[in-house]
Amino acid sequence: MSVLTISDLRKEFGDLVAVDDVNFAVDDGEFVSILGPSGSGKSTILRMIAGFETPTAGTIEIEGENVTAAPPFDREVNMVFQSLALFPHLTVAENIGYGLVESGVPEDERRERIAEMLEVVELSGYQDRNIDQLSGGEQQRVALARAIVNEPKIVLFDEPLASLDRKLRQHMQFELQRIQEETGITFLYVTHDQEVAMAVSDRMLVLNDGEMEQLDSVETIYDKPASKFVAQFIGDINLVPASIVEANGTDVTVDSRGNRIHVSDAAGRCVDAVSLEEGADVSVGIRPTGITLGDPDREDVFSVRGEIQNRGYAGDETVYTIDTEYGSFTANTEDRSYDIGDDVTVWWPADEVYLFAPETETASVSDGGGEP
Amino acid sequence: MSALNTLEGFIHRHGDRIGRGLMVLILTLIWIPIGVVVLMSFAGEGVLSFPPETYTVRWYAEVLNNDDAISATLTSLRVSLVATPITVLISLLAAYGVARYDFRGKNALQALLTLPIIVPLVVTGVAMTLFFGNINLSSGFTTVVIAHIVRTVPFAALIIIPTVIGFDRTLEEASKDLGASELRTFRRVTLPNIMPGVIAGGLLAFTVSFNEFVYTYFVRDTATQTLPVYLWGLIRYGFSPEVNVISVLFLLLAAGILLVAVSLTGLKQVILRG
């Protein structure tokens, strides 16, 4: 059963449409991320679910009950704020127990539940500390504990990890997953950081300009993006302008400046509505991870010559920026043998190709990454 | 130019000495007269000789046994204790309006609330006297209280408005999110967090009100004699040792309020949790 059902949700601020007819449902115990660039309306959706904003149209149901007009204090959801919003005048225990006091939990039980919760977030014995005595990571845990201790139907996260450094953020991601599994509470996590979203969630909802682009599992969104926006926002993609020179149903050959590749399952590789007629213009997209450097070891690949402009390390992989006749390409590979200035062949097989509607500009695009 | 350069060079070389000298001068001008008043309040010969040859607390006893002085002190306390809470309430409401709502003339309101600090006191004094006359409000306790509110609101607003504006409203959202109603949120989160600023504003208002003389002199009747007005009356008929004693009492009150303010902010954590 869906713990949360959002129907035709719309929010206008004056002339601005912040959220435009959004529909989705979240199952009990799921970890769902709402991902989008800043200004895409993701925080507005979260604030409407929490009750801080009133939708212009549409309904919000929590466990089948329509709460669209209910005030924040009458909803069984709790939020972890971007600024954390811990109460500076209260201790750790008083912060965590705040909601329990409001719901009339007796003091003994309160003390017990606060202690249990501190154990879950690995802050045992921190009851009497002041908030300003805690590190950033510890404050995150208190904020999380304060939300979870009330056993809400859903915990809403408004990018609370954005302020942490990378290492701590990654650690907190694992902690979030662990705590979510332990408690079984549904988590709805808003972020602009695709890395965080991909790491923690079961499903992701990608938003652009207030509209839903795609709601799917992390794997599906990466492998089968529903639009060019999704393809560019979730992981990088290199684009090459091309046209279809032969077409037999979904078995097509695309050509770009004499460089040809044969795609046998073109329908399954299409991201946008692409015409597969002979002579139609398309954009060929390729993930940086689908690129191999060096001489092709098979037939029927798309290959381009280029010069290494830059290289950087990302864990096990090396990220190369390669200057080609199509502009700048990004390639992620385990191959570390190239240096800046080396001439190299860049290639990819047909099963790594995506087909997009043609671009108006000719240069390739590879800057769709996570940072806004 | 060369004269300026010479001067600049001189200041550059002797800047620290000039600064120190100025500081000593300022401190002297401010504190020596006060020190003299304190010293003289214990003078055995009254106001006749300086420095005093003998010391006594006789003048203190005299003030404490003087019905007029006691009555003036009580009048001052009554006026200040009525005016201060009203001033704090007005400042708090204005602060809420400025912090929470968008309306035309919002900046003007903020300026108009605090600017009267620089309006010459006699101007407002005359204006209030005329106004009270026009609306047939006879001079007395009420007009004095109103005058004190007019005088103290700018000071209280100066402290309370930034406090309320600086309060992070996300904390209120967090409170409501955790199940607290609007009223509970105000009591459990808003009030404790703005309390130090409100108390500081109130203490300042009380101090200003307790020392207020000019407005009071304009709008009072003879029955409403506050301590500063009583003091003024004493001075008119020549210096008496009582004047020094009352001055010291004012000083003690100001110091006491300062101590209260400091301890309140120091004990903030304890008080706010209560």
Side-chain angles (χ1 to χ4, degrees), chain B residues 34-35 44 60 75 78 82-83 98 104 111-112 138 141 153 169 172 181-182 198 201 229 232-233 239 251 256 260 264:
Chain B
I34 294 173
Y60 283 83
T75 303
R78 281 213 325 273
V82 174
V98 169
R104 274 182 65 184
L112 287 174
S138 51
F141 184 77
V153 160
R169 295 201 61 196
E172 288 178 345
S181 63
E182 302 273 355
V198 173
V229 172
W232 169 246
F239 261 96
L251 209 59
V260 171
L264 275 177

Side-chain angles (χ1 to χ4, degrees), chain B residues 212-235:
Chain B
E212 170 24 315
F213 173 74
V214 178
Y215 288 6
T216 315
Y217 206 76
F218 272 99
V219 303
R220 80 189 185 98
D221 62 346
T222 42
T224 315
Q225 177 150 265
T226 62
L227 200 52
V229 172
Y230 174 70
L231 197 63
W232 169 246
L234 287 183
I235 295 173

Side-chain angles (χ1 to χ4, degrees), chain A residues 47 52 72-73 77-79 81 85-89 91 94 98-99 101-102 130 146 150, chain B residues 168 170-171 173-182 184-185 188-189 192-193 269 272-273:
Chain A
R47 291 177 59 78
F52 300 135
F73 42 86
V77 298
N78 286 125
M79 180 129 134
F81 291 80
L86 294 171
F87 305 122
H89 60 297
T91 61
E94 287 166 333
Y98 192 94
V101 171
E102 290 304 322
N130 286 329
R146 185 178 70 176
N150 307 295
Chain B
D168 177 9
T170 322
L171 296 181
E173 288 188 345
S175 168
K176 285 184 231 168
D177 186 62
L178 292 163
S181 63
E182 302 273 355
R184 295 271 305 162
T185 295
R188 290 190 73 191
V189 173
N193 279 291
Q269 298 296 330
L272 295 186
R273 288 210 194 108

